[in-house]
Amino acid sequence: MDFPKELKYTKDHEWVRIDGDVAWVGITDFAQSELGDIVFVEIDTEGEELDIEEVFGSVEAVKTVSDLFMPVSGEILELNSKIEESPELVNTDPYGEGWMIKIKLSDTSELDSLLSADAYKEVIGA
Amino acid sequence: MKKTALTGVHEELGARMVPFAGYYMPLQYEGVTAEHHTVRNGVGVFDVSHMGEFVVSGEQAEAFLQKVTSNDVSKLTDGKVQYSCLPNEDGGIVDDLLVYRLSGTEYMLVVNASNISKDWDWLQQHNSFGVTLKDRSDEISLLAVQGPKATEALQSLTNIDLSSMKYYTFEKGTFAGVEDVIVSATGYTGSGGFEIYFENKHAEKVWKAVFEAGAPQDIKPIGLGARDTLRMEKGFCLYGNDIDDTTSPIEAGLGWITKFSKDFINKDELLAQKERGTDKRLVGFEMIDRGIPRQSYTIQNEKGETIGRVTSGTQSPTLGKAIGMGYINPDLAKPGSIIYIEVRNKSLKAEVVTLPFVK
């Protein structure tokens, strides 16, 4: 299982790719593997301003459904429209084409609370 | 947690193992969707050794089974199988099961793993017929080899002519070099195939032989995840979801296995239900709005009033749509009726359809 070093992680199994005051968010390789085949991702919070740990959407797999949580506070600038048509991208390429939202950070100090790849691996016992 | 004789094999194959009905079972190997398509289009193997097997024997075996099961056991001849249920005394179902007629005085009952001890107690309690009951659940392994290529995958392993076997019949024969194996043309997938019963000590040998013989058909192991999506597409009830101690066979659409031409437990109440109708009825529905119905979600009418509950739901890999089953009051149970499923605080539109979802 792959956990790129350049990303930050949360205990809720999201990853964050930070670029200045903008961040891309998705779910980890571990999360997609635990969920199994993902059949759709529902996010209807585009344009909204959400706080850290608020629910921004949900991901439905064949066997189960799971909430998606904001890793940091911010405004949701964009959704990945590709995963609407092809939700399986979250399974096959969780850190690339399977990204979920792009957000504008409202408090960059929150980034300190995110986990490194090594710290996340410890959380999941990898 | 109990294990089957093949638990080690599943672990070696890298299956995701989960507790199910007190057993440690494979949920999936490569993934539910891929495994589902393997069974619909090719052939796959399920280890369903957790299922329970009881043997009923004695002069009064048929009379006993007529009393405790809903279907008409007298219709069976040697080598035939019947789907049936055990009605309770309160209008519900103790379990659903398969009845195998081994001979006129000996039958095998195949019951759900989660209900083995409940069924056993129930049958003992109603055995005023002096029949002998034997619980062989812990001695027997069961492989379900399912899919349109099952016959060609397995034929080289047995002297039984598989292609001539009719649905819901079985034969005893040699299979993979093991004698006295029961090969049954039954299954829970609606894609054809066989269920194969043998003693635990042969399990690894039989498993290996099945995979060698089926290699040209690209046979694959299938987990319980795909077992659930496969049965749901065909509208087959799952005990604990769609039927239980509180749902009657009439409400569940199992009138076809409830025969009033004979006497059985709670016959009068079920007959009355059939004649006057029931307050709720199990239906199938397809989602119109995007969302996946899941067990225990609320079903509403147009006014937002609760009219029932979802008992099973999934994304159908064959149809590419979300499907579900649930009990609702009969006025909205007609195909074409619009109902609403409360999915995570949203009311999503769905349409009642005729079962099965996949013909």
Side-chain angles (χ1 to χ4, degrees), chain B residues 299-355:
Chain B
I299 305 177
Q300 300 173 335
N301 62 14
E302 214 174 0
K303 295 179 198 150
E305 295 160 341
T306 297
I307 55 164
R309 235 160 241 294
V310 176
T311 53
S312 286
T314 191
Q315 174 82 359
S316 157
T318 303
L319 302 174
K321 305 185 204 180
I323 58 173
M325 299 198 279
Y327 286 92
I328 62 176
N329 49 28
D331 37 315
L332 281 173
K334 281 204 192 75
S337 301
I338 298 298
I339 56 174
Y340 295 83
I341 314 299
E342 177 95 347
V343 179
R344 301 157 71 73
N345 300 322
K346 281 185 206 162
S347 205
L348 302 182
K349 205 183 219 186
E351 180 184 358
V352 176
V353 298
T354 314
L355 293 173

Side-chain angles (χ1 to χ4, degrees), chain B residues 222-293:
Chain B
I222 314 292
L224 293 181
R227 185 168 163 85
D228 196 43
T229 56
L230 287 158
R231 69 95 192 165
M232 225 183 290
E233 285 187 344
K234 294 290 176 178
F236 297 155
C237 290
L238 173 62
Y239 194 92
N241 281 45
D242 313 300
I243 50 177
D244 62 26
D245 293 302
T246 68
T247 60
S248 91
I250 305 300
E251 293 165 342
L254 297 177
W256 63 282
I257 60 162
T258 308
K259 299 291 163 61
F260 297 105
S261 50
K262 57 148 205 175
D263 186 38
F264 62 95
I265 291 171
N266 209 29
K267 174 186 178 181
D268 293 344
E269 183 180 344
L270 296 180
L271 183 58
Q273 280 189 12
K274 190 187 174 187
E275 282 166 355
R276 67 163 197 262
T278 54
D279 299 338
K280 55 178 184 180
R281 166 121 197 129
L282 185 66
V283 297
F285 58 87
E286 286 182 6
M287 296 305 295
I288 296 172
D289 288 339
R290 210 164 181 200
I292 297 181

Side-chain angles (χ1 to χ4, degrees), chain B residues 189-215:
Chain B
T189 63
S191 275
F194 303 92
E195 295 183 298
I196 301 157
Y197 300 84
F198 48 88
E199 287 181 31
N200 288 346
K201 62 181 176 199
H202 305 298
E204 290 202 22
K205 177 184 170 181
V206 173
W207 176 275
K208 208 166 154 243
V210 166
F211 278 84
E212 279 169 13

Side-chain angles (χ1 to χ4, degrees), chain B residues 5 23 28 60-61 99 102 110 126 138 151 178 180 185 224 229 232 271 306 312 319 337 345 359:
Chain B
Y23 286 78
Q28 61 171 62
Q60 294 291 308
V99 179
L102 306 172
V110 181
H126 292 87
D138 287 342
T151 302
V178 179
D180 281 335
L224 293 181
T229 56
M232 225 183 290
L271 183 58
T306 297
S312 286
L319 302 174
S337 301
N345 300 322
K359 309 297 177 230

Side-chain angles (χ1 to χ4, degrees), chain A residues 18-104:
Chain A
I18 302 150
D19 182 10
D21 64 349
V22 171
W24 283 260
V25 177
I27 65 169
T28 67
D29 200 7
F30 175 77
Q32 69 77 18
S33 150
E34 285 293 304
L35 286 166
D37 297 334
I38 290 164
V39 291
F40 89 91
V41 181
E42 182 176 41
I43 303 170
D44 46 18
T45 47
E46 189 171 7
E48 287 181 31
E49 189 109 26
L50 295 178
D51 283 339
I52 186 166
E53 287 176 5
E54 269 196 89
V55 173
F56 70 84
S58 61
V59 51
E60 296 263 10
V62 174
K63 297 300 293 176
T64 185
V65 58
S66 179
D67 279 329
L68 296 164
F69 300 96
M70 292 292 278
V72 287
S73 307
E75 182 191 348
I76 300 182
L77 298 174
E78 195 183 332
L79 314 176
N80 179 5
S81 56
K82 265 196 188 166
I83 59 173
E84 227 171 275
E85 282 306 304
S86 309
E88 67 279 4
L89 288 171
V90 180
N91 289 118
T92 55
D93 191 9
Y95 303 113
E97 295 224 81
W99 68 276
M100 291 178 172
I101 55 170
K102 182 180 166 186
I103 57 184
K104 184 163 165 53

